[in-house]
Amino acid sequence: MNRPPMTKKGAERLRTELDRLKTQERPRIIAAIAEARAHGDLKENAEYHAAREMQGFIEGRINELEAALSNAEVIDVSRLNAGKRIVFGAIVDLADEDSGDEVSYQIVGDLEADIKQSLISVSSPFARALIGKSEGDSFEFQAPNGTRNYEITGVRYEG
């Protein structure tokens, strides 16, 4: 079985979230359920049902994080020696050849991807278009809003 890749920084972030869920959120929701139970009839107790729903969400997220962390192949990006070639973990600087806009993305594992933090999933079409290319290359990407042309202006690997 292929183990999904995850950056060392991403694994640390997920471990921090897991710890917070187990040590803060889980006890808080258990207390909320106990308090709602004390209010009596559970059939019409909206607080109880909301707390139980939240408990299900938290337990599901805990299970998801534990499974991901135990299955992942954690990669220390700072030790990759890919030079200016793009592989998993690369931080890629791009210039949109049409608009002149410049952006940077890091290619990370599926679970740690977060576009708001410029972290794109290794399995996304955009990351797949980048893998194997090198600094100085130009490429065309079929985005949902049309064809985009990019130049790769920088490739680096940081822990």
Side-chain angles (χ1 to χ4, degrees), residues 11 15 40 59 77 79 85 105 108 113 117 121 136 156 159:
R15 280 191 200 97
E59 294 303 326
V77 174
R79 293 185 169 192
R85 216 173 110 254
Y105 295 110
V108 298
Q117 295 184 39
S121 169
R156 61 192 184 284

Side-chain angles (χ1 to χ4, degrees), residues 120-136:
I120 60 172
S121 169
V122 67
S123 60
S124 70
F126 194 67
R128 288 199 308 262
L130 289 168
I131 298 284
K133 293 189 175 43
S134 299
E135 188 173 307

Side-chain angles (χ1 to χ4, degrees), residues 37-48:
R37 251 199 195 121
H39 293 169
D41 186 12
L42 297 182
K43 276 189 279 210
E44 295 179 18
N45 188 329
E47 290 171 357
Y48 174 77

Side-chain angles (χ1 to χ4, degrees), residues 52-62:
R52 291 290 302 197
E53 191 174 312
M54 183 56 106
Q55 182 184 37
F57 172 77
I58 288 171
E59 294 303 326
R61 183 67 177 157
I62 287 171

